[in-house]
Amino acid sequence: MADSSSDEGGFSEQAWDFYRDRTDWKDVTPVPQNDGPNAVVQISYSDKFRDVYDYFRAILQRNEMSERAFNLTTDAAVLNPANYTVWYYRRLLLKDLGKNIYDELKYIEEVIEDHPKNYQVWHHRRVLVEWLQDPSQELSMTKKILSSDAKNYHAWQHRQWTIREFEIWEGELDFIESLLVDDVRNNSAWNQRYFVINNTVKYTGDVVQRELRYTFQQILKAINNESSWNYLKGILMVQDTLNIKEVVDFVMDLYENKKNRSPYLLSFMVDLYEDQLQKKPSDSPIILHKALQLCNQLADETDTIRKEFWNFMARSLAEKFSAESNQGDPQGDSNKDENQAS
């Protein structure tokens, strides 16, 4: 059994045919890594890594466009798939050698499956799709990656780019809903829902009503799910107000049941009251009192990990809206004068 410590990229040094020993590479002088005389951190490269990258630097300096150079980039990518220069040079070789880009697309899919959170491999794939102007495999490929990690940022980014670049919006909401059925807490799926609607039908009146009903249903499935509460805030911000009757009724009904008083509900209600205070209603002191009570409840009971934040929110609301209330309150001014006189 080979020593696992000598394995890199799936092949062992024992079985490795070093480039320095290959007869077809005798004409190339390897270029060693130069970290300078006073490297802050001296990296201990394996013999195999040094061998591959010494020869990669050599062909890079020569600007060699050949089949052996192309094969060398494959070995270099195995050892370090995050190396930008390797992928850039490989793309130059793909063009110069007239390689089949669909073969490369298949290859990079296999690399992505092994390194799904590597930016460079996803970028390489995007360039290939741009060259081909063929997005036919991208949604199924990203779906496969997301089936293993439903919140993979790179997969979502690539999927969004594909959909927007090639106008493939149809069926995306159905895909999102299937993900939310599996996991209503999937914040990436909620973000994708907003992305799709905002780039297609927009959040018009009818769409907002539909989305409110949908989001209410999802919140009731998991009161402590921050993702659905954030989505609710997001769609209402499009309307530039949180004070929609259906929303007020919904949150107040939840609040009546003490079991439902999650930190996300209370936080949403603070936003709701602040939105109401912005409109300077006649009952501002009462609304402000309710908002401050909620901030105190969040700080002391429900969301103690963010105690300082909620104390700050309470001070800010009190300073801003108490002052505004007093400015328009003759009684408040007279009380102030009496205090000064005494």
Side-chain angles (χ1 to χ4, degrees):
M1 182 176 178
D3 181 0
S4 61
S5 64
S6 68
D7 289 343
E8 285 187 64
F11 47 86
S12 68
E13 279 195 12
Q14 290 179 342
W16 179 244
D17 181 14
F18 285 89
Y19 278 85
R20 62 175 179 255
D21 298 328
R22 301 182 189 186
T23 57
D24 57 333
W25 283 87
K26 291 298 183 182
D27 62 309
V28 178
T29 301
V31 178
Q33 172 74 25
N34 182 7
D35 292 326
N38 301 305
V40 176
V41 178
Q42 189 68 45
I43 300 174
S44 180
Y45 299 108
S46 70
D47 285 344
K48 178 173 56 181
F49 190 95
R50 289 181 184 277
D51 180 60
V52 169
Y53 274 88
D54 286 357
Y55 278 85
F56 175 71
R57 282 185 287 272
I59 61 115
L60 199 62
Q61 285 187 6
R62 293 158 54 125
N63 194 32
E64 179 177 321
M65 296 292 159
S66 65
E67 190 67 27
R68 69 176 184 177
F70 182 77
N71 293 333
L72 177 58
T73 64
T74 302
D75 289 337
V78 168
L79 292 168
N80 183 9
N83 189 308
Y84 168 81
T85 306
V86 169
W87 293 109
Y88 172 75
Y89 197 65
R90 186 178 178 88
R91 287 192 288 274
L92 294 181
L93 289 163
L94 284 167
K95 286 282 194 179
D96 191 83
L97 300 175
K99 290 288 187 178
N100 186 313
I101 305 304
Y102 283 102
D103 288 344
E104 183 72 3
L105 204 63
K106 183 178 180 181
Y107 160 75
I108 197 62
E109 181 174 349
E110 294 172 354
V111 178
I112 287 173
E113 288 175 357
D114 290 334
H115 306 279
K117 295 185 178 180
N118 182 316
Y119 171 79
Q120 296 300 340
V121 297
W122 283 100
H123 176 69
H124 187 67
R125 186 173 182 96
R126 177 186 291 200
V127 173
L128 299 179
V129 175
E130 287 178 329
W131 286 356
L132 292 167
Q133 283 297 294
D134 179 5
S136 60
Q137 302 179 39
E138 302 316 289
L139 297 189
S140 60
M141 190 276 289
T142 52
K143 181 180 179 179
K144 181 166 64 173
I145 298 298
L146 292 170
S147 67
S148 299
D149 178 5
K151 300 179 182 180
N152 184 304
Y153 170 77
H154 299 289
W156 280 114
Q157 187 180 52
H158 186 78
R159 190 177 182 92
Q160 286 191 354
W161 170 79
T162 301
I163 290 171
R164 182 157 48 193
E165 182 74 12
F166 297 97
E167 296 289 332
I168 315 173
W169 302 100
E170 187 176 354
E172 189 63 10
L173 275 183
D174 292 335
F175 172 66
I176 295 164
E177 290 192 20
S178 70
L179 292 180
L180 291 175
V181 167
D182 291 339
D183 179 13
V184 73
R185 291 176 173 81
N186 187 338
N187 57 295
S188 299
W190 283 106
N191 179 70
Q192 184 76 349
R193 188 178 188 91
Y194 187 90
F195 167 79
V196 171
I197 293 174
N198 199 44
N199 282 278
T200 53
V201 295
K202 307 294 185 184
Y203 283 94
T204 60
D206 290 344
V207 174
V208 167
Q209 293 302 316
R210 182 197 72 192
E211 290 303 294
L212 287 180
R213 290 191 297 271
Y214 178 81
T215 310
F216 291 164
Q217 292 172 1
Q218 305 313 310
I219 288 175
L220 291 174
K221 292 178 182 178
I223 298 295
N224 283 301
N225 175 21
E226 184 178 10
S227 299
S228 50
W229 283 106
N230 285 340
Y231 182 75
L232 181 60
K233 287 182 184 180
I235 60 177
L236 290 172
M237 293 302 290
V238 179
Q239 294 285 324
D240 200 29
T241 179
L242 296 174
N243 192 15
I244 295 178
K245 185 178 185 304
E246 294 92 330
V247 178
V248 175
D249 291 344
F250 175 73
V251 297
M252 292 307 176
D253 286 345
L254 285 179
Y255 187 77
E256 288 300 313
N257 186 338
K258 291 185 179 181
K259 294 181 180 179
N260 291 332
R261 294 183 183 179
S262 76
Y264 308 114
L265 168 64
L266 302 187
S267 172
F268 188 90
M269 291 177 67
V270 172
D271 291 340
L272 178 69
Y273 286 137
E274 184 177 7
D275 185 71
Q276 292 176 347
L277 287 167
Q278 297 282 0
K279 299 175 175 59
K280 300 179 181 180
S282 57
D283 58 345
S284 285
I286 297 173
I287 296 174
L288 177 60
H289 178 69
K290 290 180 178 179
L292 297 180
Q293 280 187 318
L294 287 173
C295 287
N296 292 334
Q297 185 177 347
L298 283 158
D300 299 333
E301 302 172 22
T302 315
D303 193 16
T304 55
I305 196 170
R306 297 199 297 164
K307 181 182 180 70
E308 293 305 317
F309 170 76
W310 291 116
N311 287 336
F312 167 77
M313 280 294 297
R315 291 193 302 270
S316 298
L317 290 172
E319 290 173 6
K320 180 177 181 180
F321 294 108
S322 292
E324 290 182 358
S325 297
N326 289 334
Q327 287 175 3
D329 183 1
Q331 186 64 38
D333 290 339
S334 63
N335 289 339
K336 181 178 179 182
D337 293 339
E338 289 175 10
N339 291 334
Q340 289 175 338
S342 63

